Amino acid sequence: MTERPHRSTALTDPRVEEETAPVRPALRVVHESEGIDLAAAEAAAGQFLNALGISTASESLRGTPGRMARAYAELFSPRPFGLTTFPNDEDYDELVLARRIPVRTVCEHHLLPIVGTAHVGYLPGARILGLSKLARVVEHFACRPQVQERLTKQVADWLQTHLEPKGVGVVIEAEHACMTLRGVQATGSSTMTSTLLGLLRSDARTRSEFLGLTGATS
């Protein structure tokens, strides 16, 4: 992952230039990869299906290896975005919480889907975050083979580092196809994980408020 300032230009009135606070450029977040070879992935997908006794010779299955390759390439390719922040001019010091952010990733042990929701909140420090960026950060770390525990901590740690809030909380609840479709076949089961940092971890009242609003304590 590469993080670099997003360069932009703006026209300013020289009469008020000295009175205007400098604009902080958005942090450009880009996932660095070694490149995607769709042709090689399609060939490997065809060999994989054939090795499992599934012939791709029929008209309906002939294009399946290519569709598999493109589908996984999409799953593993997070979109770049700018981490837009703004001055906390009003000194807002209560929770900011985005609930029910969709999560979709794949289990790194079986490459089967993990689907659920994330609740991401923070206590603002000097700056506040564009709300859509909370969902963007979740998507960024979900677009790769994952385990839910790591995903939860990565989102929280990243926000704590780059936003510098007084606290961060992340709760993820998801269903794992590796549990529901195979093995124990625990249909309907879900897994909940949480990471709390700063005041959301150390202050009991704030922690209780966050967990209550996410439904983690219901």
Side-chain angles (χ1 to χ4, degrees):
M1 177 179 69
T2 297
E3 300 149 12
R4 54 179 182 269
H6 176 63
R7 295 183 179 178
S8 60
T9 58
L11 298 177
T12 59
D13 186 339
R15 294 171 299 178
V16 298
E17 187 172 1
E18 292 183 357
E19 301 175 5
T20 304
V23 177
R24 176 182 292 192
L27 181 70
R28 190 67 175 167
V29 183
V30 180
H31 175 65
E32 293 281 346
S33 69
E34 297 180 359
I36 295 175
D37 189 337
L38 283 176
E42 180 176 350
Q47 294 172 357
F48 173 74
L49 291 171
N50 290 330
L52 292 176
I54 300 173
S55 173
T56 57
S58 68
E59 181 179 352
S60 60
L61 285 170
R62 193 172 300 133
T64 296
R67 288 188 288 268
M68 285 177 60
R70 291 189 296 274
Y72 276 100
E74 180 180 341
L75 282 171
F76 298 154
S77 300
R79 296 173 291 180
F81 68 96
L83 190 74
T84 310
T85 65
F86 307 94
N88 185 10
D89 293 331
E90 301 300 322
D91 293 325
Y92 183 82
D93 60 359
E94 298 292 337
L95 274 172
V96 178
L97 174 63
R99 299 193 300 175
R100 293 186 289 275
I101 298 171
V103 173
R104 61 114 174 93
T105 185
V106 295
C107 164
E108 69 178 26
H109 302 134
H110 303 93
L111 290 190
L112 289 172
I114 299 173
V115 179
T117 56
H119 311 291
V120 183
Y122 71 98
L123 283 171
R127 300 187 70 81
I128 57 176
L129 181 66
L131 288 177
S132 67
K133 307 310 176 185
L134 294 173
R136 290 286 198 180
V137 173
V138 172
E139 178 192 89
H140 181 81
F141 286 104
C143 282
R144 64 200 69 181
Q146 272 287 13
V147 295
Q148 186 173 325
E149 297 89 339
R150 181 196 304 129
L151 173 60
T152 308
K153 193 170 188 307
Q154 283 177 331
V155 172
D157 287 346
W158 198 90
L159 287 171
Q160 184 70 32
T161 298
H162 293 281
L163 185 58
E164 298 181 347
K166 296 176 182 177
V168 173
V170 179
V171 171
I172 296 179
E173 183 173 8
E175 181 175 303
H176 294 238
C178 57
M179 283 183 61
T180 60
L181 297 181
R182 57 160 298 281
V184 69
Q185 297 184 17
T187 304
S189 67
S190 64
T191 299
M192 183 173 287
T193 51
S194 66
T195 296
L196 305 176
L197 303 174
L199 286 178
L200 270 82
R201 184 181 185 91
S202 62
D203 183 76
R205 183 191 66 83
T206 305
R207 181 174 65 251
S208 178
E209 179 186 4
F210 171 75
L211 293 175
L213 288 172
T214 63
T217 57
S218 61

